[in-house]
Amino acid sequence: MAVAPPDNGTPPAAPRNGFDRYFEISARGSTMSREVRGGLATFFTMAYIVVLNPLILGSAVDGDGKSLPIPALAAATALVAGLMTILMGVVGRFPLALAAGLGVNALVAYEIAPEMTWADAMGLVVIEGVIIGVLVLTGLRTAVFRSVPTQMKTAIGVGIGLFLTIIGLVDAGFVRRIPDEANTTVPVGLGIGGKLVSWPMLVFVVGLLLTLVLVVRRVKGAILLGILASTVLAMIVEAMGNIGPSFVNGEPNPEGWSLNVPTIPTTWVDVPDLSLLGKFNVLDSWSRAGWLVVLMFVFTLLITDFFDTMGTMVAVGQEGGMLDERGTPPRAREILLVDSIAAASGGAASVSSNTSYIESAAGVAEGARTGVANLVTGVLFLLAMFVAPLVQVVPFEAASTALVVVGFLMMTAVRTIDWSDYEIAIPAFLTIVLMPFTYSISNGIGAGLITYVVVKLAKGKAREIHPLLYAVAALFVLYFLRGPIESVVL
C-alpha cells in the first residue's frame, strides 16, 4: 500500500547519517527497509524487459538482412538498465527506474532498422538522446514540463494507471484480442472465448486476489509478496501440469505461460555477452535513407521519449505524494537529464532508447521514496546479466498482478480533478482514456494538450495558455499527422 510522507505539520525526522542525509530517507518519511522492498518490487515488475527487449529487437532484420544476437541483446539490456537506474538514484535521488523503452524499441526494430543498418539505427537513437539532453541543459524541457496545468498532470498519472492496468490484464491473458474471424465488433474479451479456462489465468486471478487482500489489510510488502507467492504457485502448477509456453515451435498455445515458463532453471549463472556495446554509427543513415526520412525518425523518437518520461515521472511522484503544488517532483531537471543520458546510452549499447519505467510505481506503492530503491533495482539488473535464468522464472501471470494493483492506486487521484469545469475535464478525460485505448502514453498526452489549447481558445481565454503550450500542441499535431506528412514529402 502506498505510504504517505509525513504531514506538513510534522517536522521531518533528523537524518541518521550522511547516507540518510544525501538521499533524504528520513526527510521523505521512508526507511531503509521500505526502500529495499520498493527496489525489489520495481525490479520484479520490470525484469521482463531483459527477456522481452531482445525478443523484439532480435526478431527484426536491418536493411542488409542482418539480425542482432539475442544473448548479447539480453546482456546489454540488463547492463544499461542497471547503470542508468543507479545513475538516476544517485543524481536524481528519485525512485524511477530506467530500461529499454517498449514502443520505441518496436519503432527502431520494425520501421527504422529496415531502412538502414542496425548501427545506423542505433546512431539515430544516440542523436535523439543528445538532443533531449541539450533541451534539458538549456532549461527548455523543464519549462515545457512546468507549463502543463496541474490538473492535466494529474490526468496523465491517472491515465497511466489505467494503461498499467490494461498492460497487466493483457500480459496475463485475462483480457485478449478477439480474432477477426469471430465476426464480432467487440475488440477484446475475457480469457479464451470469454472463459477462464487455463491454469496460468487461474494463477493470475489467485495472485491478484491475494495481493488485493494483502493491500486491504495493509500488509508491508503486499505487492512484492503477491509476485513471489504467484510465482511459487505458478512453479507448482507447471510442475504438476507441464503446461509449457504460450508459443510452441512457432505455433500459439493459448493456454500456456506468457513470457516465461515458471520452472527451476538448470543453469543459474551465465557469462554475459557484451559484444554489442559501441556498435552505432551517427553519419551513414543520412546518406542511405535520406535526410527527410532520418529527420522524421528522429522527430518521432524525440516526441515519444520527451513526453513519455514527463508522464511517467508525474505518475510516480503522484503515487508517492512527492509532487509540489505545481505537480512537479523534486530535482525535475536532474531526473530529465539522466533520462536523456539513458536514451543516448541505450543507442550506444545497441538496445534502443532507455527511458523511465512506469513500473517504478510498484516500488513506490511498496514505500520507496528515494533513490536508494534505485540502487537496489539497478544492482539486481546488473546481477541479471549473470543470472538471467533466474529472471526468466517469473511469468507475466505472476508479475502482472502488481501492475493491476498499482493501476488502482494511481486511479484514486482522479478525485482531485474538477469534473464540473469542462475546460479542464474534457482534456483530462481524453488524456486518461486514450492512453490505455491506444496503448501509448504520448498519444494520451498529445490529445489532451491539443484539446486543452483548442478549448481555451474557443472560450476566448488565450491568455490562460502558457506560451510554450502552443508550441507543444503544434508539435503534437505534427506527431499525429506524421503519416500523411511522410506520404507527401518523402
Side-chain angles (χ1 to χ4, degrees), residues 146-152 421-424 427 449 452-470:
R146 289 175 175 165
S147 70
V148 177
T150 300
Q151 290 192 63
M152 284 298 293
D421 181 2
Y422 283 9
E423 293 175 28
I424 193 70
L449 292 182
Y452 176 81
V453 171
V454 170
V455 168
K456 285 292 186 182
L457 289 175
K459 292 283 290 184
K461 297 181 178 180
R463 291 184 178 180
E464 295 184 9
I465 304 173
H466 193 288
L468 282 174
L469 281 188
Y470 287 109

Side-chain angles (χ1 to χ4, degrees), residues 56-234:
I56 292 174
L57 293 176
S59 64
V61 296
D62 65 9
D64 293 338
K66 296 180 180 179
S67 58
L68 297 175
I70 288 181
L73 284 170
T77 297
L79 174 64
V80 178
L83 293 178
M84 292 300 104
T85 296
I86 291 173
L87 185 64
M88 179 67 80
V90 174
V91 177
R93 305 182 212 175
F94 193 69
L96 193 63
L98 301 97
L102 288 174
V104 177
N105 56 4
L107 173 67
V108 172
Y110 303 122
E111 293 187 40
I112 299 180
E115 299 291 331
M116 55 195 75
T117 67
W118 281 111
D120 295 337
M122 295 303 170
L124 295 187
V125 176
V126 173
I127 292 173
E128 174 254 334
V130 172
I131 293 174
I132 291 182
V134 171
L135 294 178
V136 174
L137 293 175
T138 57
L140 182 60
R141 194 179 188 190
T142 305
V144 169
F145 174 78
R146 289 175 175 165
S147 70
V148 177
T150 300
Q151 290 192 63
M152 284 298 293
K153 292 176 183 175
T154 299
I156 290 170
V158 173
I160 291 176
L162 292 180
F163 183 38
L164 268 183
T165 300
I166 196 169
I167 288 175
L169 294 174
V170 170
D171 285 349
F174 190 83
V175 171
R176 302 190 184 210
R177 180 179 180 274
I178 297 177
D180 295 334
E181 56 269 19
N183 293 322
T184 176
T185 57
V186 180
V188 294
L190 175 69
I192 302 172
K195 301 176 183 178
L196 302 177
V197 295
S198 72
W199 285 107
M201 274 187 275
L202 176 64
V203 169
F204 169 74
V205 172
V206 172
L208 177 60
L209 291 176
L210 171 63
T211 307
L212 290 172
V213 169
L214 294 175
V215 168
V216 170
R217 295 182 63 87
R218 301 181 184 275
V219 175
K220 292 182 178 179
I223 294 175
L224 180 58
L225 288 174
I227 295 172
L228 296 177
S230 301
T231 301
V232 171
L233 176 60

Side-chain angles (χ1 to χ4, degrees), residues 152 156 307 424 426-435 438 440-455 472-473 475-477 479-480:
M152 284 298 293
I156 290 170
F307 287 96
I424 193 70
I426 291 174
F429 168 74
L430 291 176
T431 299
I432 292 170
V433 299
L434 286 181
M435 285 189 196
T438 66
S440 168
I441 294 175
S442 291
N443 288 348
I445 295 175
L449 292 182
I450 291 173
T451 306
Y452 176 81
V453 171
V454 170
V455 168
V472 171
L475 286 174
F476 267 117
V477 170
Y479 171 77
F480 286 121

